[in-house]
Amino acid sequence: YLQNCHVYTTWMPRLEALVAETATTAPHPDYRLWLTTMPSPAFPVPVLQTSLKLTREPPKGLRANMLDTLSNAIDEQRWLECA
């Protein structure tokens, strides 16, 4: 799980290479790569093109955001459905 990828602009070419390598090989069936980012021109387009994208507006305020993050853990059934 990689959070705030938009902050690591110098690492984006390496992320693009890793995703391209994973796309050409057969990863383990349980392999998942979760990324979070804000819209950024530095984020590699090929990573976006090969990804399942989810968008979500966070609740306003730090307390509400933390409560939401901690209360919305992904259960095993939802995890398996993402395959």
Side-chain angles (χ1 to χ4, degrees):
Y1 179 58
L2 303 172
Q3 285 186 323
N4 301 322
C5 290
H6 59 281
V7 175
Y8 307 107
T9 56
T10 58
W11 191 71
M12 289 298 104
R14 179 69 180 132
L15 173 64
E16 184 177 355
L18 288 169
V19 170
E21 180 182 327
T22 303
T24 59
T25 62
H28 190 277
D30 294 336
Y31 175 78
R32 304 288 185 277
L33 176 61
W34 289 81
L35 307 169
T36 64
T37 188
M38 298 288 289
S40 168
F43 200 86
V45 172
V47 174
L48 292 173
Q49 290 173 334
T50 60
S51 301
L52 172 67
K53 293 160 279 301
L54 305 171
T55 58
R56 181 176 177 281
E57 292 293 326
K60 294 187 188 257
L62 180 61
R63 179 173 165 40
N65 198 347
M66 290 300 294
L67 288 172
D68 185 64
T69 298
L70 296 173
S71 67
N72 283 328
I74 297 176
D75 61 25
E76 185 175 354
Q77 183 60 37
R78 278 183 77 188
W79 177 261
L80 294 173
E81 289 171 359
C82 290

